[in-house]
Amino acid sequence: MKIETIVNAEIELLTAIKNADVAALDKMLHDDLLFNLSDGQTITKEFDLESYRLGKMKIETLEASDQIINIIEDTAVVSVIILLKGAYDNNPIANSFRYIRVWRQFGESLKVIAGSCTQMV
């Protein structure tokens, strides 16, 4: 596993999120994904995909910075700051969040197996 592979996977993931591309997200997220939201709620892959299917998540701006990637055997841990502007369920969002995502190699494909986000102060 190479750093540039993870960088490209992150770009692909953010593009899918911004475009609410459920099919692409379905391929990139592991079926047993657990993700902790900034309010402490833990969600699953299906919950996340359903938010996009129902049009609850509307993103205007999604910009990544301060990305750190550690590769440990067949797993990569990514820490990144995301500037997010848009709305979730008609509630406005305009903040920076520190995300951590765990990617794992499964055969030829990379999948996000875990993650969390914390609102920046």
Side-chain angles (χ1 to χ4, degrees):
M1 184 180 303
K2 296 180 180 175
I3 296 262
E4 62 260 20
T5 304
I6 302 303
V7 168
N8 291 336
E10 281 281 314
I11 291 168
E12 189 178 339
L13 179 67
L14 293 181
T15 301
I17 290 169
K18 188 168 185 181
N19 296 331
D21 185 342
V22 175
L25 290 168
D26 187 38
K27 289 179 188 172
M28 287 184 268
L29 303 179
H30 191 276
D31 288 346
D32 294 323
L33 167 80
L34 290 178
F35 190 93
N36 292 329
L37 299 175
S38 62
D39 66 0
Q41 181 183 7
T42 300
I43 63 168
T44 62
K45 173 183 177 175
E46 193 49 44
F47 182 96
D48 196 29
L49 294 180
E50 192 66 10
S51 297
Y52 291 103
R53 277 189 204 105
L54 296 175
K56 287 185 176 185
M57 190 67 163
K58 308 262 191 229
I59 297 174
E60 298 163 21
T61 303
L62 190 67
E63 297 173 3
S65 64
D66 194 26
Q67 187 179 64
I68 303 164
I69 300 172
N70 284 350
I71 295 177
I72 307 157
E73 296 180 14
D74 63 352
T75 304
V77 180
V78 177
S79 176
V80 63
I81 294 175
I82 302 287
L83 171 62
L84 179 61
K85 292 182 184 175
Y88 180 79
D89 211 12
N90 296 316
N91 296 309
I93 303 168
N95 286 304
S96 290
F97 297 86
R98 167 71 73 180
Y99 281 77
I100 192 161
R101 271 189 284 275
V102 181
W103 292 85
R104 183 154 182 234
Q105 187 81 44
F106 293 92
E108 294 299 311
S109 62
L110 275 171
K111 293 191 181 280
V112 178
I113 60 171
S116 69
C117 69
T118 304
Q119 185 171 324
M120 303 289 286
V121 179

